[in-house]
Amino acid sequence: MPSHARPNNPLHGPLPILAACALWGTTGTASSFAPASAPAIAVGSAGLVVGGLLLLLTGTGARAVAVGADRRLLLLGSVTVAGYALAFYPAVARTGVAVATTVALATAPIVLGLRARPALTLTAVLGCALLVLGGSTGATRIDPLGVALAVVAGLSYAAYSAVCAHLISLGHPSRAVVGVVFGGASALVLPVLLVAGTSWIVSAAGLAVVAHLAVFTTFVSYLLFGYGLRRTTAASATTLTLAEPAVAAVLGVVVVGERLPWVSWAGMAVLAVALAALTRAPRTPETIDVT
């Protein structure tokens, strides 16, 4: 169906992506309930292994995509999805949530969004930086390797978004594309999970955390993201994902009892304005609807 059939309807692009970001924003809060014995990389890997398998098994047409689509692109998509998970969690462990989140989430929009909508992209990145770094303490550490890993995570996410958007634009169903890519990523990170250890998963807290990460922050969220990519460019989609730290910050205040300084609230306001403008901005002619 041509993209102009229902022009500028945010339900067919930006809003599903923002809904996915809201689910991704619960990752940090959910992970905080994992057993103390669970390595950070194991928690992220477990969610991706289970969630990726669910996406593959429910991706109608996945087999046709696996056979008919460019296998090099499918492999690149799987590698970059796995790369994001394997780089981001160690980045957080080395350089802290604030720095790692800011670097990773800002990298993808800067790479993909500057040429498309530079003003909105830079405004959103600024708001994200104020929000996340404004809430950090004086003890914030800058670890070069941690920052490098966060950049790798951001570049991985940008590559995944571009690959999936391209495959969907060629006419492949979004659920099938996401299913194949995440199924491959699930297989890639399984050895990492086994090496990192799985004994923590059998506890009640471990099962609950893995279930949440697998079902909500991987399965449901990436179905929404893939649906949104039908009518949203990869550049706009990655800029919209800057809403994730805002959700995480609000959950930190409401659920964990954290307090945010006025700088963070100001950053959240700037980010909200930029994202609202982006959801109302007209789409480029290249975006299509693939059902």
Side-chain angles (χ1 to χ4, degrees), residues 156-226:
S156 297
Y157 182 78
Y160 155 77
S161 299
V163 166
C164 286
H166 178 69
L167 289 171
I168 292 170
S169 74
L170 294 177
H172 300 294
S174 61
R175 289 190 63 172
V177 170
V178 172
V180 172
V181 167
F182 271 79
S186 175
L188 290 174
V189 300
L190 179 58
V192 176
L193 174 61
L194 296 177
V195 170
T198 59
S199 59
W200 59 275
I201 299 179
V202 298
S203 66
L207 286 173
V209 169
V210 172
H212 179 86
L213 295 179
V215 175
F216 294 104
T217 68
T218 302
F219 177 67
V220 176
S221 63
Y222 279 100
L223 283 182
L224 289 168
F225 188 76

Side-chain angles (χ1 to χ4, degrees), residues 35-264:
S37 60
I41 196 170
V43 175
S45 297
L48 179 54
V49 166
V50 179
L53 184 60
L54 287 174
L55 286 167
L56 177 62
L57 293 177
T58 60
T60 304
R63 183 171 183 176
V65 168
V67 173
D70 189 328
R71 293 186 179 181
R72 293 169 299 179
L73 288 179
L74 293 174
L75 177 61
L76 177 60
S78 295
V79 169
T80 52
V81 168
Y84 178 85
L86 298 180
F88 181 71
Y89 287 93
V92 169
R94 295 190 66 93
T95 198
V97 175
V99 175
T101 302
T102 301
V103 173
L105 291 181
T107 298
I110 288 174
V111 170
L112 295 177
L114 279 179
R115 290 183 60 188
R117 296 189 178 108
L120 289 179
T121 298
L122 289 176
T123 301
V125 169
L126 173 62
C128 178
L130 289 174
L131 164 64
V132 178
L133 295 181
S136 63
T137 66
T140 298
R141 61 192 186 280
I142 305 295
D143 179 88
L145 180 57
V147 171
L149 287 170
V151 171
V152 170
L155 292 175
S156 297
Y157 182 78
Y160 155 77
S161 299
V163 166
C164 286
H166 178 69
L167 289 171
I168 292 170
S169 74
L170 294 177
H172 300 294
S174 61
R175 289 190 63 172
V177 170
V178 172
V180 172
V181 167
F182 271 79
S186 175
L188 290 174
V189 300
L190 179 58
V192 176
L193 174 61
L194 296 177
V195 170
T198 59
S199 59
W200 59 275
I201 299 179
V202 298
S203 66
L207 286 173
V209 169
V210 172
H212 179 86
L213 295 179
V215 175
F216 294 104
T217 68
T218 302
F219 177 67
V220 176
S221 63
Y222 279 100
L223 283 182
L224 289 168
F225 188 76
Y227 180 82
L229 281 177
R230 296 176 181 180
R231 289 176 166 265
T232 306
T233 63
S236 295
T238 52
T239 301
L240 287 167
T241 58
L242 290 171
E244 178 184 344
V247 175
V250 171
L251 286 175
V253 172
V254 175
V255 178
V256 184
E258 297 177 346
R259 293 185 178 182
L260 291 179
W262 68 268
V263 174
S264 293

